[in-house]
Amino acid sequence: MRLLENKTALITGGSRGIGEGIALKFAEQGASIAFTYLSSDEKARALEAKLESLGVKAKGYKSDAGIYAAAEQLANDVVKEFGTIDICVNNAGISRDNLLLRLTQEQWDEVIQANLKSVYNLTKQVIRPMMKARSGSIINLSSIVGIKGNGGQSAYAASKAGIIGFTKSIAQEIGSRNIRCNAIAPGFIETDMTHYLKDGGAEKWFEKIPLGRFGKTEDVANAALYLASDMSLYVTGQVISVCGGMNT
Ligand code: NAP
């Protein structure tokens, strides 16, 4: 028996990187997959085909995670198409790294909207079908930067720290309805988001990783699978660091 048989997962930012890794991992375990993206139409169509080739129902939705009305529309569309939402992964995110002296209001707002408001937007929508089903698992992508901070990433770190406070509060609000809410705090995972660091300052991170390597999207997807599945039925309000020991 696969771990996510008969479940529907909604994953934001599924067209690339960690979101794509989670979509593939969940599909391998039997879940139907609804995923979102912002502009990568071709990658989204390719992922739909890949997921379908694994024998599951899959659909990509172009939907801006930072816009409340878009999240409302998305949740309605997914419930209409898939019947319910059992698992929600708030993964969509961006980084706009800059020292505070140079960080503009626009950059601050952009990061907070895409990374933090997005989590409010969609969580508020998915708890309705989950309450009806009296079960659900919400997984939010934070970062170890949200725990430790990082010079040059104040907006990003604030958004990721905000996700942790939100996750713990929501876990307390909806635990009695058998809906769980947890966060994953990845370290340095090899994706487009971190690609530019590998050309420059990657070494300073690398030296701080006890397991001696950068993370792969599959490392994060494995933690997401645990939190999505019944393997973690007694786990809520927690932050799991997937960072090769960086946050120790
Ligand atoms: P990525 O490779 O840059 O991919 C980002 C994904 O999010 C893409 O699918 C992108 O869609 C989507 N997206 C961005 N803004 C969106 C919006 N407003 N609405 C809908 N979709 C949007 O990023 P990643 O490295 O996989 O990161 C995924 C999550 O993990 C993020 O929340 C990130 O902060 C977190 N994280 C990553 C790392 C790391 O080392 N990579 C570490 C800690 C935490 P398009 O393809 O259409 O642009």
Side-chain angles (χ1 to χ4, degrees):
M1 171 84 174
R2 294 183 292 178
L3 287 172
L4 303 180
E5 210 77 67
N6 300 321
K7 305 244 187 224
T8 294
L10 170 55
I11 302 160
T12 65
S15 48
R16 294 184 281 126
I18 291 170
E20 181 182 20
I22 293 173
L24 289 166
K25 177 68 64 179
F26 283 12
E28 279 165 16
Q29 292 296 324
S32 301
I33 307 290
F35 69 90
T36 72
Y37 62 100
L38 190 60
S39 56
S40 303
D41 294 291
E42 259 176 50
K43 285 187 173 149
R45 298 292 82 81
L47 180 61
E48 266 177 3
K50 235 193 246 178
L51 294 167
E52 281 165 359
S53 75
L54 294 169
V56 301
K57 178 169 173 164
K59 188 166 169 141
Y61 296 81
K62 191 170 194 162
S63 178
D64 188 335
I67 308 288
Y68 183 82
E72 199 170 23
Q73 180 72 50
L74 171 71
N76 287 337
D77 290 348
V78 172
V79 169
K80 210 165 166 192
E81 181 72 31
F82 290 80
T84 189
I85 300 167
D86 303 293
I87 302 154
C88 173
V89 184
N90 286 306
N91 165 79
I94 57 169
S95 60
R96 297 282 180 270
D97 300 348
N98 222 339
L99 295 171
L100 183 59
L101 280 174
R102 292 193 208 119
L103 187 74
T104 64
Q105 287 188 60
E106 289 73 24
Q107 287 174 321
W108 172 271
D109 288 345
E110 209 183 337
V111 170
I112 299 297
Q113 178 159 358
N115 292 7
L116 182 57
K117 182 155 187 279
S118 58
V119 178
Y120 157 79
N121 289 343
L122 194 58
T123 303
K124 190 159 158 115
Q125 301 306 323
V126 299
I127 59 173
R128 291 174 206 275
M130 289 179 176
M131 278 162 103
K132 215 164 141 197
R134 290 197 67 81
S135 104
S137 175
I138 299 164
I139 301 161
N140 299 324
L141 267 293
S142 177
S143 164
I144 59 160
V145 165
I147 299 170
K148 291 158 70 90
N150 189 35
Q153 287 198 302
S154 57
Y156 183 79
S159 72
K160 295 298 179 182
I163 286 175
I164 293 175
F166 181 85
T167 299
K168 289 177 178 287
S169 304
I170 295 308
Q172 292 177 34
E173 276 185 35
I174 57 181
S176 63
R177 312 293 186 107
N178 196 32
I179 304 170
R180 300 180 295 107
C181 185
N182 292 287
I184 298 175
F188 194 125
I189 310 300
E190 287 179 309
T191 67
D192 292 346
M193 187 178 275
T194 49
H195 187 70
Y196 76 102
L197 286 169
K198 294 190 77 177
D199 300 333
E203 301 74 23
K204 85 174 166 126
W205 290 86
F206 201 82
E207 286 162 11
K208 293 180 193 160
I209 304 172
L211 287 182
R213 67 169 174 89
F214 298 126
K216 299 182 192 326
T217 58
E218 193 178 10
D219 295 316
V220 181
N222 283 329
L225 174 60
Y226 166 70
L227 292 173
S229 75
D230 288 356
M231 300 285 283
S232 59
L233 276 184
Y234 200 50
V235 178
T236 195
Q238 304 305 305
V239 183
I240 299 183
S241 292
V242 180
C243 61
M246 245 166 118
N247 177 36
T248 306

PDB file of all heavy atoms in Angstrom, residues 142-168:
ATOM      1  N   SER A 142       9.333  26.807   5.358  1.00  0.00           N
ATOM      2  CA  SER A 142      10.069  27.897   6.000  1.00  0.00           C
ATOM      3  C   SER A 142      11.514  27.798   5.521  1.00  0.00           C
ATOM      4  O   SER A 142      11.768  27.442   4.360  1.00  0.00           O
ATOM      5  CB  SER A 142       9.934  27.773   7.521  1.00  0.00           C
ATOM      6  OG  SER A 142      10.683  28.763   8.169  1.00  0.00           O
ATOM      7  N   SER A 143      12.471  28.075   6.398  1.00  0.00           N
ATOM      8  CA  SER A 143      13.888  27.994   6.041  1.00  0.00           C
ATOM      9  C   SER A 143      14.693  28.069   7.338  1.00  0.00           C
ATOM     10  O   SER A 143      14.235  28.690   8.308  1.00  0.00           O
ATOM     11  CB  SER A 143      14.275  29.176   5.145  1.00  0.00           C
ATOM     12  OG  SER A 143      15.681  29.315   5.086  1.00  0.00           O
ATOM     13  N   ILE A 144      15.889  27.518   7.352  1.00  0.00           N
ATOM     14  CA  ILE A 144      16.702  27.688   8.569  1.00  0.00           C
ATOM     15  C   ILE A 144      17.075  29.161   8.753  1.00  0.00           C
ATOM     16  O   ILE A 144      17.375  29.586   9.862  1.00  0.00           O
ATOM     17  CB  ILE A 144      17.960  26.789   8.608  1.00  0.00           C
ATOM     18  CG1 ILE A 144      18.866  27.064   7.428  1.00  0.00           C
ATOM     19  CG2 ILE A 144      17.608  25.337   8.717  1.00  0.00           C
ATOM     20  CD1 ILE A 144      20.282  26.568   7.702  1.00  0.00           C
ATOM     21  N   VAL A 145      17.004  29.928   7.652  1.00  0.00           N
ATOM     22  CA  VAL A 145      17.250  31.372   7.757  1.00  0.00           C
ATOM     23  C   VAL A 145      16.157  32.047   8.610  1.00  0.00           C
ATOM     24  O   VAL A 145      16.411  33.052   9.272  1.00  0.00           O
ATOM     25  CB  VAL A 145      17.330  31.967   6.321  1.00  0.00           C
ATOM     26  CG1 VAL A 145      17.207  33.465   6.322  1.00  0.00           C
ATOM     27  CG2 VAL A 145      18.616  31.532   5.650  1.00  0.00           C
ATOM     28  N   GLY A 146      14.978  31.458   8.627  1.00  0.00           N
ATOM     29  CA  GLY A 146      13.890  31.964   9.474  1.00  0.00           C
ATOM     30  C   GLY A 146      14.119  31.648  10.948  1.00  0.00           C
ATOM     31  O   GLY A 146      13.489  32.239  11.821  1.00  0.00           O
ATOM     32  N   ILE A 147      15.008  30.717  11.226  1.00  0.00           N
ATOM     33  CA  ILE A 147      15.331  30.351  12.617  1.00  0.00           C
ATOM     34  C   ILE A 147      16.580  31.116  13.089  1.00  0.00           C
ATOM     35  O   ILE A 147      16.617  31.671  14.166  1.00  0.00           O
ATOM     36  CB  ILE A 147      15.588  28.817  12.721  1.00  0.00           C
ATOM     37  CG1 ILE A 147      14.327  28.042  12.292  1.00  0.00           C
ATOM     38  CG2 ILE A 147      16.012  28.431  14.134  1.00  0.00           C
ATOM     39  CD1 ILE A 147      14.541  26.539  12.126  1.00  0.00           C
ATOM     40  N   LYS A 148      17.593  31.144  12.215  1.00  0.00           N
ATOM     41  CA  LYS A 148      18.893  31.712  12.602  1.00  0.00           C
ATOM     42  C   LYS A 148      19.102  33.146  12.136  1.00  0.00           C
ATOM     43  O   LYS A 148      19.983  33.836  12.625  1.00  0.00           O
ATOM     44  CB  LYS A 148      20.025  30.877  11.971  1.00  0.00           C
ATOM     45  CG  LYS A 148      20.180  29.481  12.521  1.00  0.00           C
ATOM     46  CD  LYS A 148      20.900  28.578  11.522  1.00  0.00           C
ATOM     47  CE  LYS A 148      22.357  28.935  11.354  1.00  0.00           C
ATOM     48  NZ  LYS A 148      23.236  28.222  12.274  1.00  0.00           N
ATOM     49  N   GLY A 149      18.320  33.589  11.093  1.00  0.00           N
ATOM     50  CA  GLY A 149      18.621  34.868  10.455  1.00  0.00           C
ATOM     51  C   GLY A 149      19.810  34.728   9.521  1.00  0.00           C
ATOM     52  O   GLY A 149      20.531  33.729   9.560  1.00  0.00           O
ATOM     53  N   ASN A 150      19.994  35.718   8.626  1.00  0.00           N
ATOM     54  CA  ASN A 150      21.157  35.715   7.733  1.00  0.00           C
ATOM     55  C   ASN A 150      21.362  37.119   7.185  1.00  0.00           C
ATOM     56  O   ASN A 150      20.433  37.692   6.596  1.00  0.00           O
ATOM     57  CB  ASN A 150      20.938  34.719   6.581  1.00  0.00           C
ATOM     58  CG  ASN A 150      22.188  34.515   5.753  1.00  0.00           C
ATOM     59  OD1 ASN A 150      23.310  34.536   6.278  1.00  0.00           O
ATOM     60  ND2 ASN A 150      22.019  34.343   4.462  1.00  0.00           N
ATOM     61  N   GLY A 151      22.536  37.664   7.395  1.00  0.00           N
ATOM     62  CA  GLY A 151      22.840  39.004   6.890  1.00  0.00           C
ATOM     63  C   GLY A 151      22.576  39.084   5.395  1.00  0.00           C
ATOM     64  O   GLY A 151      22.986  38.188   4.658  1.00  0.00           O
ATOM     65  N   GLY A 152      21.881  40.124   4.948  1.00  0.00           N
ATOM     66  CA  GLY A 152      21.572  40.287   3.520  1.00  0.00           C
ATOM     67  C   GLY A 152      20.253  39.651   3.130  1.00  0.00           C
ATOM     68  O   GLY A 152      19.839  39.733   1.972  1.00  0.00           O
ATOM     69  N   GLN A 153      19.585  39.020   4.106  1.00  0.00           N
ATOM     70  CA  GLN A 153      18.310  38.354   3.776  1.00  0.00           C
ATOM     71  C   GLN A 153      17.214  38.735   4.784  1.00  0.00           C
ATOM     72  O   GLN A 153      16.406  37.897   5.161  1.00  0.00           O
ATOM     73  CB  GLN A 153      18.477  36.833   3.793  1.00  0.00           C
ATOM     74  CG  GLN A 153      19.271  36.273   2.609  1.00  0.00           C
ATOM     75  CD  GLN A 153      19.041  34.782   2.422  1.00  0.00           C
ATOM     76  OE1 GLN A 153      19.281  33.998   3.332  1.00  0.00           O
ATOM     77  NE2 GLN A 153      18.575  34.380   1.256  1.00  0.00           N
ATOM     78  N   SER A 154      17.187  39.992   5.219  1.00  0.00           N
ATOM     79  CA  SER A 154      16.254  40.348   6.311  1.00  0.00           C
ATOM     80  C   SER A 154      14.800  40.133   5.915  1.00  0.00           C
ATOM     81  O   SER A 154      14.004  39.627   6.724  1.00  0.00           O
ATOM     82  CB  SER A 154      16.482  41.785   6.782  1.00  0.00           C
ATOM     83  OG  SER A 154      16.342  42.688   5.709  1.00  0.00           O
ATOM     84  N   ALA A 155      14.433  40.485   4.696  1.00  0.00           N
ATOM     85  CA  ALA A 155      13.033  40.315   4.273  1.00  0.00           C
ATOM     86  C   ALA A 155      12.695  38.828   4.180  1.00  0.00           C
ATOM     87  O   ALA A 155      11.669  38.365   4.689  1.00  0.00           O
ATOM     88  CB  ALA A 155      12.788  40.993   2.932  1.00  0.00           C
ATOM     89  N   TYR A 156      13.588  38.090   3.548  1.00  0.00           N
ATOM     90  CA  TYR A 156      13.372  36.645   3.382  1.00  0.00           C
ATOM     91  C   TYR A 156      13.300  35.956   4.748  1.00  0.00           C
ATOM     92  O   TYR A 156      12.387  35.156   5.017  1.00  0.00           O
ATOM     93  CB  TYR A 156      14.521  36.069   2.541  1.00  0.00           C
ATOM     94  CG  TYR A 156      14.392  34.599   2.227  1.00  0.00           C
ATOM     95  CD1 TYR A 156      13.544  34.160   1.216  1.00  0.00           C
ATOM     96  CD2 TYR A 156      15.120  33.641   2.935  1.00  0.00           C
ATOM     97  CE1 TYR A 156      13.423  32.800   0.922  1.00  0.00           C
ATOM     98  CE2 TYR A 156      15.010  32.291   2.645  1.00  0.00           C
ATOM     99  CZ  TYR A 156      14.168  31.871   1.640  1.00  0.00           C
ATOM    100  OH  TYR A 156      14.053  30.536   1.356  1.00  0.00           O
ATOM    101  N   ALA A 157      14.235  36.303   5.644  1.00  0.00           N
ATOM    102  CA  ALA A 157      14.262  35.687   6.974  1.00  0.00           C
ATOM    103  C   ALA A 157      13.001  36.045   7.753  1.00  0.00           C
ATOM    104  O   ALA A 157      12.429  35.194   8.445  1.00  0.00           O
ATOM    105  CB  ALA A 157      15.509  36.137   7.733  1.00  0.00           C
ATOM    106  N   ALA A 158      12.558  37.302   7.639  1.00  0.00           N
ATOM    107  CA  ALA A 158      11.344  37.721   8.355  1.00  0.00           C
ATOM    108  C   ALA A 158      10.139  36.932   7.842  1.00  0.00           C
ATOM    109  O   ALA A 158       9.291  36.476   8.618  1.00  0.00           O
ATOM    110  CB  ALA A 158      11.114  39.219   8.172  1.00  0.00           C
ATOM    111  N   SER A 159      10.068  36.749   6.528  1.00  0.00           N
ATOM    112  CA  SER A 159       8.929  36.001   5.969  1.00  0.00           C
ATOM    113  C   SER A 159       8.956  34.545   6.439  1.00  0.00           C
ATOM    114  O   SER A 159       7.920  33.967   6.770  1.00  0.00           O
ATOM    115  CB  SER A 159       8.936  36.065   4.430  1.00  0.00           C
ATOM    116  OG  SER A 159       9.979  35.283   3.877  1.00  0.00           O
ATOM    117  N   LYS A 160      10.145  33.976   6.517  1.00  0.00           N
ATOM    118  CA  LYS A 160      10.254  32.560   6.891  1.00  0.00           C
ATOM    119  C   LYS A 160      10.066  32.357   8.399  1.00  0.00           C
ATOM    120  O   LYS A 160       9.560  31.314   8.833  1.00  0.00           O
ATOM    121  CB  LYS A 160      11.604  31.993   6.427  1.00  0.00           C
ATOM    122  CG  LYS A 160      11.748  31.970   4.897  1.00  0.00           C
ATOM    123  CD  LYS A 160      10.696  31.082   4.262  1.00  0.00           C
ATOM    124  CE  LYS A 160      10.771  31.030   2.753  1.00  0.00           C
ATOM    125  NZ  LYS A 160       9.707  30.206   2.148  1.00  0.00           N
ATOM    126  N   ALA A 161      10.476  33.353   9.208  1.00  0.00           N
ATOM    127  CA  ALA A 161      10.206  33.303  10.650  1.00  0.00           C
ATOM    128  C   ALA A 161       8.711  33.469  10.888  1.00  0.00           C
ATOM    129  O   ALA A 161       8.127  32.812  11.753  1.00  0.00           O
ATOM    130  CB  ALA A 161      10.989  34.401  11.368  1.00  0.00           C
ATOM    131  N   GLY A 162       8.081  34.345  10.104  1.00  0.00           N
ATOM    132  CA  GLY A 162       6.630  34.542  10.216  1.00  0.00           C
ATOM    133  C   GLY A 162       5.872  33.255   9.946  1.00  0.00           C
ATOM    134  O   GLY A 162       4.880  32.946  10.616  1.00  0.00           O
ATOM    135  N   ILE A 163       6.354  32.496   8.997  1.00  0.00           N
ATOM    136  CA  ILE A 163       5.715  31.208   8.665  1.00  0.00           C
ATOM    137  C   ILE A 163       5.744  30.270   9.881  1.00  0.00           C
ATOM    138  O   ILE A 163       4.777  29.544  10.143  1.00  0.00           O
ATOM    139  CB  ILE A 163       6.412  30.557   7.445  1.00  0.00           C
ATOM    140  CG1 ILE A 163       6.025  31.311   6.166  1.00  0.00           C
ATOM    141  CG2 ILE A 163       6.070  29.077   7.334  1.00  0.00           C
ATOM    142  CD1 ILE A 163       6.742  30.841   4.910  1.00  0.00           C
ATOM    143  N   ILE A 164       6.820  30.308  10.632  1.00  0.00           N
ATOM    144  CA  ILE A 164       6.919  29.421  11.807  1.00  0.00           C
ATOM    145  C   ILE A 164       5.887  29.817  12.861  1.00  0.00           C
ATOM    146  O   ILE A 164       5.165  28.966  13.391  1.00  0.00           O
ATOM    147  CB  ILE A 164       8.365  29.436  12.371  1.00  0.00           C
ATOM    148  CG1 ILE A 164       9.312  28.785  11.353  1.00  0.00           C
ATOM    149  CG2 ILE A 164       8.418  28.711  13.721  1.00  0.00           C
ATOM    150  CD1 ILE A 164      10.781  28.844  11.714  1.00  0.00           C
ATOM    151  N   GLY A 165       5.759  31.113  13.141  1.00  0.00           N
ATOM    152  CA  GLY A 165       4.755  31.567  14.111  1.00  0.00           C
ATOM    153  C   GLY A 165       3.350  31.230  13.654  1.00  0.00           C
ATOM    154  O   GLY A 165       2.498  30.794  14.451  1.00  0.00           O
ATOM    155  N   PHE A 166       3.106  31.407  12.366  1.00  0.00           N
ATOM    156  CA  PHE A 166       1.797  31.098  11.782  1.00  0.00           C
ATOM    157  C   PHE A 166       1.498  29.603  11.917  1.00  0.00           C
ATOM    158  O   PHE A 166       0.417  29.198  12.352  1.00  0.00           O
ATOM    159  CB  PHE A 166       1.802  31.516  10.300  1.00  0.00           C
ATOM    160  CG  PHE A 166       0.505  31.263   9.586  1.00  0.00           C
ATOM    161  CD1 PHE A 166      -0.536  32.181   9.625  1.00  0.00           C
ATOM    162  CD2 PHE A 166       0.322  30.092   8.848  1.00  0.00           C
ATOM    163  CE1 PHE A 166      -1.735  31.941   8.966  1.00  0.00           C
ATOM    164  CE2 PHE A 166      -0.877  29.850   8.178  1.00  0.00           C
ATOM    165  CZ  PHE A 166      -1.907  30.775   8.234  1.00  0.00           C
ATOM    166  N   THR A 167       2.475  28.781  11.574  1.00  0.00           N
ATOM    167  CA  THR A 167       2.312  27.319  11.606  1.00  0.00           C
ATOM    168  C   THR A 167       1.946  26.839  13.011  1.00  0.00           C
ATOM    169  O   THR A 167       1.010  26.045  13.197  1.00  0.00           O
ATOM    170  CB  THR A 167       3.628  26.638  11.157  1.00  0.00           C
ATOM    171  OG1 THR A 167       3.915  27.054   9.820  1.00  0.00           O
ATOM    172  CG2 THR A 167       3.545  25.124  11.227  1.00  0.00           C
ATOM    173  N   LYS A 168       2.678  27.333  13.993  1.00  0.00           N
ATOM    174  CA  LYS A 168       2.438  26.888  15.376  1.00  0.00           C
ATOM    175  C   LYS A 168       1.070  27.361  15.870  1.00  0.00           C
ATOM    176  O   LYS A 168       0.380  26.644  16.599  1.00  0.00           O
ATOM    177  CB  LYS A 168       3.558  27.408  16.292  1.00  0.00           C
ATOM    178  CG  LYS A 168       4.886  26.700  16.042  1.00  0.00           C
ATOM    179  CD  LYS A 168       6.008  27.253  16.899  1.00  0.00           C
ATOM    180  CE  LYS A 168       7.295  26.488  16.664  1.00  0.00           C
ATOM    181  NZ  LYS A 168       7.309  25.145  17.254  1.00  0.00           N
TER     182      LYS A 168
END
